[in-house]
Amino acid sequence: SIDRSGAKRTLIVGGLMLTMIPVPWIFVHGLFGVLLCQTLSGAAWAGFEVGHFSLLLELGYRRMRPSIFAAQSLVSGSAQLLGGLIGSLLLSAEFGARGVFALSSAMRIVVVVALIRFLLQSAPPVRRPRPQFRIIGFRPGTGLAQRPIEEPATYAESSAE
């Protein structure tokens, strides 16, 4: 789950799965093969998208998120359009469907390797300690009454250094 492994790892695993999507299409014959390919494709895209979305949420400030998601949508839509146009040009040039799938897989590997290198080089987000609260009561009209818990001396000493 993404809660255990984190957004980066989920994105990387989903990206690696995406590189393999075109490979079965090279060999598939019949309805069962098509259904299997589509199922694997859906699982790969789901992992990639949830990792991508979580990473954007993790790294972006609240005020910047609409701009970040708009830019991501623009880049993603443009890449899909460009990929479709290149694929159709290759098909019309008698490259063959199997050749297009093989080239698609190779290009996906190049992109995912670049993505992995970028993610591993980027600095992790800064984690600030969140204040801890103790529930001291319940008020029917306003909800929970809370009081801050004092931070341990060990944390205060380590953060002062």
Side-chain angles (χ1 to χ4, degrees):
S1 130
I2 194 166
D3 293 330
R4 281 183 265 136
S5 62
K8 280 185 183 182
R9 187 174 192 161
T10 303
L11 180 65
I12 289 170
V13 170
L16 291 171
M17 288 174 61
L18 284 180
T19 64
M20 296 293 120
I21 289 175
V23 174
W25 287 100
I26 297 170
F27 309 105
V28 72
H29 296 289
L31 179 62
F32 179 74
V34 170
L35 293 175
L36 182 63
C37 288
Q38 287 297 93
T39 302
L40 295 174
S41 175
W45 277 109
F48 180 80
E49 289 291 329
V50 76
H52 184 241
F53 182 74
S54 295
L55 190 63
L56 289 177
L57 284 177
E58 216 174 81
L59 298 177
Y61 293 109
R62 175 181 249 163
R63 291 181 158 216
M64 292 297 294
R65 286 181 187 153
S67 300
I68 290 170
F69 285 113
Q72 180 272 329
S73 293
L74 178 67
V75 170
S76 178
S78 299
Q80 288 178 19
L81 175 64
L82 185 62
L85 290 173
I86 291 171
S88 66
L89 284 173
L90 292 173
L91 282 174
S92 67
E94 303 298 325
F95 197 73
R98 296 187 196 287
V100 171
F101 284 126
L103 181 62
S104 174
S105 187
M107 295 308 296
R108 289 172 191 228
I109 290 170
V110 169
V111 170
V112 168
V113 167
L115 174 71
I116 291 170
R117 291 189 65 185
F118 174 76
L119 287 175
L120 295 179
Q121 290 175 355
S122 64
V126 177
R127 299 281 183 198
R128 294 185 182 102
R130 292 178 19 190
Q132 300 292 319
F133 294 96
R134 177 176 292 136
I135 297 173
I136 59 172
F138 178 77
R139 297 183 187 136
T142 59
L144 297 175
Q146 301 175 348
R147 177 178 297 150
I149 299 173
E150 293 182 36
E151 63 184 32
T154 57
Y155 179 78
E157 293 169 2
S158 67
S159 63
E161 293 176 12

